């Protein structure tokens, strides 16, 4: 079956142009400028951007990936898909090894079915001093052998591990991760500049939500932020919700790292798409007030209620990125991080037809995944 989308403003890595595209068997087969050579679905001048790719997400729609409940996971994926996220990783939080293995095994089935793009362990190998919304009683020193057991539970679907580089055993565990094609992400860390560089040299290639859960920049003690920003081997995650980061700090990071090393994430938890109230994040209790999630005890920020369409829109309207730049950091760069840039992340011939239709205010008006509409264009 062939689908033609006409009358669009197509956002590509090269720029924005008026034109059309055709889709067959879930793939983009043509991207043209001007009028379509035949009738098609007229998008009436709407923008078309690639489907968003969220590589750090704990939940939404009242559900939480750390529970390992398949029904909750399906509900989470559906909520974020309606907001334009067509590729989603499931992030777990610190828990007992048995609970992590159980949740991992359950989510691996959904990865096998194609609902999820992989599993991310955020903990338990993180710093007590920078643990944020993780239970400090359950944190552990990294162990390559122990981590290998968690990998076994994931049956090849574990894609990322967040780890604090300064902990005993961290460098060897980073090596174990990389040897098993798992991305080592440095974060929730109290590391020095030098310890962070050692983590990068060992194979660390992602900065888990840069700035958050790590020492701030200091002119005599640059710490992990400077090391992660300046190293071309590292892609930085940024939570652009106006709570985790001031727009000026996002601009600073973006100006240093550039679009090819910047990935927007949501770090969303169960309250995304829901109202204020009390929610769970792993074993932790979270209060959400005014859309801001904080631990019931201690008040630490506990993930976000963000969706990727809001992060994209803020990047253009608050931070000042162009539409192609915003599309790169919301789609292509995170796709590259998880090894899917050949299939996803841009409106390009041969790629999967994962698309988001936006109006002039950059509000979602349509979502397509693999050539089928999740949200019919309006």
């Amino acid at each position: 079956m062939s689908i033609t989308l006409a009358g669009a403003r197509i956002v590509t890595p090269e720029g924005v142009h008026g034109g059309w595209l055709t889709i067959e068997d879930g793939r983009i087969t043509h991207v043209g400028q001007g009028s379509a050579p035949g009738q098609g679905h007229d998008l009436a001048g709407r923008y078309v951007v690639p489907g968003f790719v969220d590589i750090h997400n704990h939940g939404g729609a009242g559900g939480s990936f750390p529970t390992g409940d398949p029904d909750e996971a399906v509900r989470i994926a559906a909520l974020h898909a309606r907001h334009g996220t067509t590729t989603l990783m499931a992030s777990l939080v610190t828990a007992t090894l048995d609970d992590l293995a159980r949740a991992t095994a359950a989510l691996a089935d959904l990865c096998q079915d194609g609902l999820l793009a992989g599993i991310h362990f955020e903990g338990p190998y993180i710093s007590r001093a920078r643990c944020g919304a993780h239970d400090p009683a359950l944190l552990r020193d990294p162990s390559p052998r122990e981590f290998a057991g968690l990998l076994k539970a994931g049956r090849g679907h574990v894609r990322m591990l967040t780890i604090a580089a300064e902990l005993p055993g961290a460098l060897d565990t980073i090596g174990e991760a990389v040897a098993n094609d798992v991305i080592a992400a440095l974060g929730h860390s109290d590391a020095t500049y030098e310890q962070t560089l050692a983590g990068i040299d060992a194979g660390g290639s992602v900065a888990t939500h840069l700035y958050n859960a790590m020492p701030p920049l200091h002119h005599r003690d640059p710490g992990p932020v400077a090391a992660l920003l300046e190293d071309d081997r590292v892609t930085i995650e940024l939570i652009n919700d106006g709570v985790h980061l001031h727009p000026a700090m996002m601009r600073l990071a973006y100006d240093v790292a550039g679009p090819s090393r910047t990935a927007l994430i949501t770090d969303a938890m169960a309250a995304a798409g829901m109202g204020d109230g009390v929610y769970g994040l792993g074993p932790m209790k979270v209060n959400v007030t005014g859309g801001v999630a904080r631990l019931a005890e201690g008040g630490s920020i506990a993930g976000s209620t963000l969706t990727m369409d809001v992060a994209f829109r803020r990047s253009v309207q608050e931070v000042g990125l162009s539409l192609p730049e915003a599309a790169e950091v919301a789609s292509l760069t995170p796709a590259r991080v998880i090894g899917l840039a050949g299939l996803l992340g841009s409106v390009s011939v041969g790629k999967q037809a994962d698309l988001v239709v936006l109006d002039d205010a950059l509000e979602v008006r349509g979502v397509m995944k693999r050539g089928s509409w999740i949200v019919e264009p309006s």
Side-chain angles (χ1 to χ4, degrees):
M1 178 180 176
S2 177
I3 301 171
T4 298
L5 303 181
R9 285 180 285 178
I10 302 172
V11 179
T12 71
E14 293 75 34
V16 182
H17 64 265
W20 54 277
L21 61 155
T22 56
I23 297 155
E24 293 182 15
D25 298 324
R27 296 292 184 103
I28 300 169
T29 56
H30 296 87
V31 179
Q33 297 192 31
S35 299
Q39 291 190 341
H41 190 118
D42 187 358
L43 294 181
R46 305 288 198 201
Y47 292 109
V48 174
V49 301
F52 305 134
V53 179
D54 191 359
I55 60 175
H56 188 151
N57 185 303
H58 298 285
S64 184
F65 285 129
T67 67
D69 185 306
D71 291 336
E72 290 187 30
V74 169
R75 193 164 73 244
I76 295 163
L79 177 278
H80 287 284
R82 291 195 298 273
H83 288 271
T85 296
T86 51
T87 300
L88 183 66
M89 287 248 289
S91 297
L92 304 182
V93 295
T94 298
T96 67
L97 292 180
D98 286 345
D99 283 347
L100 284 172
R102 178 187 54 78
T104 299
L107 294 173
D109 291 338
L110 300 180
C111 296
Q112 187 69 37
D113 293 342
L115 181 76
L116 302 173
I119 300 164
H120 165 215
F121 290 121
E122 189 179 19
Y125 306 137
I126 59 176
S127 165
R128 281 175 173 79
R130 303 286 175 176
C131 64
H134 294 252
D135 186 344
L138 298 177
L139 299 180
R140 309 171 66 86
D141 285 339
S143 162
R145 179 174 294 183
E146 188 175 275
F147 182 59
L150 292 175
L151 289 179
K152 186 176 181 180
R155 306 194 309 277
H157 296 292
V158 176
R159 301 296 291 272
M160 187 182 296
L161 167 70
T162 292
I163 187 168
E166 74 274 17
L167 296 179
L171 301 186
D172 288 341
T173 305
I174 290 170
E176 176 72 14
V178 173
N180 285 277
D181 296 322
V182 175
I183 301 151
L186 305 181
H188 280 280
S189 169
D190 206 35
T192 64
Y193 176 85
E194 291 77 16
Q195 288 170 327
T196 305
L197 287 180
I200 297 169
D201 288 339
S205 60
V206 168
T208 293
H209 44 52
L210 188 79
Y211 297 122
N212 295 108
M214 59 184 66
L217 276 169
H218 188 281
H219 55 286
R220 287 190 296 272
D221 185 12
V225 173
L228 294 163
L229 268 179
E230 71 180 2
D231 199 302
D232 287 344
R233 294 172 289 180
V234 176
T235 300
I236 58 170
E237 294 181 348
L238 295 173
I239 309 170
N240 188 20
D241 62 350
V243 176
H244 285 79
L245 293 179
H246 190 284
M249 295 305 286
M250 180 167 167
R251 278 193 296 269
L252 174 64
Y254 179 84
D255 287 346
V256 174
S260 67
R261 291 182 49 224
T262 301
L264 296 182
I265 60 166
T266 63
D267 197 20
M269 46 76 71
M274 304 289 285
D276 289 353
V278 179
Y279 297 86
L281 182 58
M284 308 301 278
K285 182 179 176 182
V286 177
N287 291 332
V288 177
T289 304
V292 178
R294 293 187 179 275
L295 285 184
E297 294 186 13
S300 292
I301 294 177
S304 84
T305 60
L306 184 65
T307 51
M308 283 290 282
D309 57 327
V310 176
F312 179 96
R313 187 161 57 250
R314 285 184 55 85
S315 295
V316 176
Q317 297 175 349
E318 302 291 332
V319 181
L321 272 59
S322 69
L323 286 169
E325 289 170 334
E328 187 164 357
V329 300
S331 301
L332 186 57
T333 299
R336 187 181 299 117
V337 167
I338 59 175
L340 295 178
L343 178 66
L344 311 168
S346 63
V347 185
S348 304
V349 171
K351 290 200 175 182
Q352 194 164 286
D354 293 353
L355 307 170
V356 183
V357 179
L358 303 171
D359 63 19
D360 285 346
L362 304 184
E363 299 279 351
V364 172
R365 296 298 181 185
V367 181
M368 174 181 280
K369 182 171 181 177
R370 299 174 189 162
S372 297
W373 292 111
I374 295 171
V375 177
E376 288 279 350
S378 63

